């Protein structure tokens, strides 16, 4: 699939300034000569990625759940839900993901989670986000204790003391540690002042499934 930059530039111009400042996709993989993107970077609308001969990049959009494998020499312009690609080859697929993850742990939603977890009447609160992979990729920047505990079944609890040496200083990948949560389980994650209640989908698989489906942002 090939798309013209000239056509898509007009669409990108319609993006609001606020949208331009917010990340819309994550870089899942980079191979070969690629400029403008690195592994596990967030990218924003109108960002430009250039791919050299033999290079490739995998992008996953946070809201549209579109996963693009782009290979061969060419130019990529980031959109809000998909990329505009010139010359390079694109293979796109839809993956399971929860669009709510983009704003899952703002100050307001963390406050909601904290209130829910303190309430004696909320033994089984509603999740704020659903993960479609059983081995979360948790974004927890810097130092602190990451705690993940199960809410619907007592006893299961994970505690990890982070020293700031996470991948790019902020990512903890349960898949690399061969750790998986229980499909269908309801959990609460806490890191510093951020809290979030999340559900692991009943069909979730362990391991390195597509990142956008198992990304848990603790900001």
């Amino acid at each position: 699939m090939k798309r013209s930059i000239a056509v898509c530039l007009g669409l990108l111009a319609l993006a609001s300034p606020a949208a331009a400042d917010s990340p819309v996709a994550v870089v899942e993989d980079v191979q070969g000569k690629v400029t403008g993107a690195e592994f596990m970077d967030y990218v924003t609308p109108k960002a430009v990625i250039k791919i050299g001969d033999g290079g490739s990049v995998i992008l996953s959009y946070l809201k549209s759940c579109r996963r693009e494998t782009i290979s061969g020499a060419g130019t990529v312009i980031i959109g809000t839900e998909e990329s505009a690609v010139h010359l390079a080859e694109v293979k796109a697929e839809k993956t399971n993901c929860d669009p709510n993850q983009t704003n899952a742990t703002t100050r307001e939603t963390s406050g909601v989670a904290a209130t829910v977890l303190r309430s004696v009447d909320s033994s089984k609160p509603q999740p704020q986000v659903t993960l479609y992979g059983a081995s979360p990729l948790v974004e927890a920047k810097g130092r602190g204790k990451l705690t993940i505990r199960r809410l619907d079944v007592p006893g299961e609890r994970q505690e990890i003391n982070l020293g700031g040496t996470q991948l790019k200083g902020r990512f903890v990948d349960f898949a690399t540690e061969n750790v998986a949560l229980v499909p269908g389980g309801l959990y609460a994650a806490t890191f510093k002042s951020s809290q979030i209640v999340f559900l692991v989908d009943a069909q979730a698989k362990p391991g390195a499934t597509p990142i956008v489906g198992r990304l848990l942002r603790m900001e």
Side-chain angles (χ1 to χ4, degrees):
M1 183 191 307
K2 294 184 179 180
R3 293 180 179 272
S4 167
I5 287 182
V7 172
C8 293
L9 278 175
L11 296 175
L12 294 175
L14 299 177
S16 67
D21 294 334
S22 301
V24 293
V26 61
V27 180
E28 285 202 24
D29 186 61
V30 172
Q31 298 292 330
K33 187 177 180 181
V34 176
T35 58
E38 296 181 359
F39 174 59
M40 290 310 300
D41 276 353
Y42 287 117
V43 288
T44 57
K46 301 185 183 179
V48 177
I49 300 171
K50 294 184 178 180
I51 305 174
D53 286 333
S56 66
V57 63
I58 298 178
L59 299 171
S60 284
Y61 279 83
L62 300 174
K63 288 188 177 180
S64 65
C65 304
R66 177 182 166 96
R67 188 170 188 258
E68 300 174 338
T69 300
I70 306 169
S71 55
T75 303
V76 181
I77 299 178
I78 302 301
T80 55
E81 296 188 354
E82 64 179 278
S83 303
V85 180
H86 181 59
L87 297 179
E89 198 72 26
V90 183
K91 294 181 179 179
E93 61 179 339
K94 283 283 188 177
T95 59
N96 290 322
C97 82
D98 189 339
N100 291 325
Q101 67 182 305
T102 54
N103 299 308
T105 51
T106 62
R107 181 177 298 179
E108 290 78 8
T109 55
S110 286
V112 169
T115 300
V116 166
L117 293 175
R118 285 195 301 264
S119 173
V120 295
D121 298 324
S122 298
S123 58
K124 197 172 182 181
Q126 290 297 309
Q128 295 164 282
V129 67
T130 298
L131 299 188
Y132 291 90
S135 300
L137 179 72
V138 183
E139 181 181 3
K141 186 177 181 179
R143 299 171 180 268
K145 180 183 289 186
L146 171 64
T147 301
I148 296 180
R149 62 186 177 93
R150 192 165 178 185
L151 301 178
D152 55 334
V153 176
E156 185 182 346
R157 186 183 186 94
Q158 307 267 356
E159 289 188 352
I160 306 173
N161 290 311
L162 303 179
T165 59
Q166 305 91 283
L167 174 65
K168 303 199 77 168
R170 60 182 179 177
F171 292 106
V172 181
D173 192 351
F174 280 49
T176 62
E177 302 297 326
N178 295 316
V179 175
L181 303 181
V182 178
L186 183 68
Y187 291 85
T190 304
F191 181 71
K192 297 181 180 178
S193 61
S194 296
Q195 299 186 76
I196 186 169
V197 177
F198 66 96
L199 176 71
V200 179
D201 185 74
Q203 302 301 316
K205 303 296 183 184
T209 56
I211 286 174
V212 73
R214 59 189 183 96
L215 179 63
L216 187 66
R217 303 181 68 188
M218 303 291 296
E219 298 179 352

